[in-house]
Amino acid sequence: SAARPVINVYTSTGKDASATVPLPAVLTAPIRPDIVNFVHTNMAKNKRQPYAVSVKAGHQTSAESWGTGRAVARIPRVNGSGTHRAGQAAFGNMCRGGRMFAPTKTWRKWHIKTNLNQKRFATASALAASALPSLVMARGHRVEKIEEVPLVLADSVETISKTKDAVALLKAINAYADVVKVSNSRKLRAGVGKLRNRRHRQRRGPLVIFNEDNGIVKAFRNLPGVEVVDVRRLNLLQLAPGGHLGRFVIWTKSAFALLDSLYGTYEIPATLKKDYVLPAHIMTNPDVTRLINSDEIQSVVRPAGNKHEKRPFTQKKNPLRNQGVMNRLNPYAQVLRRAEIVAGLKAKSGKVSKAQPAKKTQRAKTTATKFLETLHSA
């Protein structure tokens, strides 16, 4: 969206553009999913209802510990006799019929305060994400056939007061497929929420943002998944449901033009918010590939090296296993090894017989006999 300086304004027929409006600066704000997710998590907690167990739960019985000396645990036990309940442990969180551990209280801290600037940053990011067709489609909206994202309609649609006219308008601008998607997604809720006025669950459809309500709220409010909101009351829970960026937004011309007054531009601060300026980008140009391949950077960087760099040190190899390393350490080892191989081949072919052990001579035998005779005669 940042590449287009102006956005077309379509009539209620949805085909011909009646005028153009400049692109608001807030739609070029940095998209920060981390901030959006953080703020959405905090804001979603502010609609919770307090719940707690009864303060009397698990304590509506008469029980007293038996003390020591009876070979049972010192947990309180139900008084009386003649029933299974008598003598059973009570009160403790480990006991049947006892209270829970740390019983919940209604004065828990249910609500969370979020910094105002963070909430505005998240809203600006959600608005910028709604202007990118890729993010809108990734969120699951059926926007393949609409004319343009963001989709801006003439102010005459704010005077529509009948739902059949609203359906005709959505069909004319090819946005009704998103409403059909919501209608087909309606499912029965899994869980006990069925009994708590949350019987069905469904997807989200288009978000219609207007400047002045001349019947548009009544016209769109009965369509499944369609939400209508004043441009001055933008809510992150509607712009990024579930913390997911890319809601399909349908604008009226006057609401779209009011965004620069609400959020300001990068040159002029907002007029409808006190001391507010749009968040700055961490990078002016996020196209890193184009930056790296630019002539200015490529002219000063070193040329690329070899893909496989040689080791700066010699790898340690075992000379007893690696003959080449052994030959470098001891050149004569090659001669010894060759002689060993030649001798092995000759022995295998039978040319050389194994050396026989020398037999004892007759002289050595007589010498030993004389020595023994002298020894025994003493």
Side-chain angles (χ1 to χ4, degrees), residues 158-180:
E158 292 182 352
T159 60
I160 295 176
S161 58
K162 302 290 287 184
T163 303
K164 64 179 180 181
D165 297 333
V167 171
L169 170 66
L170 292 174
K171 288 181 178 178
I173 61 177
N174 296 322
Y176 194 68
D178 207 41
V179 180
V180 174

Side-chain angles (χ1 to χ4, degrees), residues 16-32:
D16 47 343
S18 60
T20 59
V21 289
L23 182 74
V26 69
L27 296 188
T28 63
I31 299 174
R32 292 284 300 276

Side-chain angles (χ1 to χ4, degrees), residues 7 96 110 162 184 186 237 262 264 322:
I7 304 296
R96 178 177 179 270
W110 300 101
K162 302 290 287 184
N184 292 338
R186 187 174 170 89
L237 300 179
L262 283 168
N322 192 316

Side-chain angles (χ1 to χ4, degrees), residues 200-253:
H200 295 92
R201 51 188 290 272
Q202 62 184 19
R203 304 285 84 79
R204 296 288 186 107
L207 175 65
V208 180
I209 301 180
F210 62 90
N211 179 37
E212 189 175 350
D213 180 19
N214 294 321
I216 187 171
V217 172
K218 186 178 288 188
F220 281 93
R221 68 185 180 185
N222 201 35
L223 294 176
V226 180
E227 294 175 309
V228 190
V229 65
D230 191 312
V231 68
R232 300 170 189 81
R233 299 287 181 270
L234 293 178
N235 188 349
L236 183 69
L237 300 179
Q238 292 179 319
L239 289 171
H244 305 300
L245 293 165
R247 180 78 185 262
F248 175 32
V249 179
I250 300 174
W251 302 84
T252 63
K253 179 183 176 182

Side-chain angles (χ1 to χ4, degrees), residues 70-99:
R70 297 181 63 172
V72 293
R74 287 177 282 191
I75 192 78
R77 296 177 183 278
V78 178
N79 298 324
S81 62
T83 175
H84 289 305
R85 184 60 173 147
Q88 286 185 356
F91 297 164
N93 63 307
M94 76 293 291
C95 302
R96 178 177 179 270
R99 51 151 174 78

Side-chain angles (χ1 to χ4, degrees), residues 91-118:
F91 297 164
N93 63 307
M94 76 293 291
C95 302
R96 178 177 179 270
R99 51 151 174 78
M100 67 179 288
F101 166 76
T104 51
K105 305 295 181 183
T106 55
W107 55 82
R108 179 188 296 187
K109 185 175 178 288
W110 300 101
H111 299 79
I112 294 182
K113 182 181 182 300
T114 310
N115 294 341
L116 178 62
N117 210 40
Q118 281 184 309

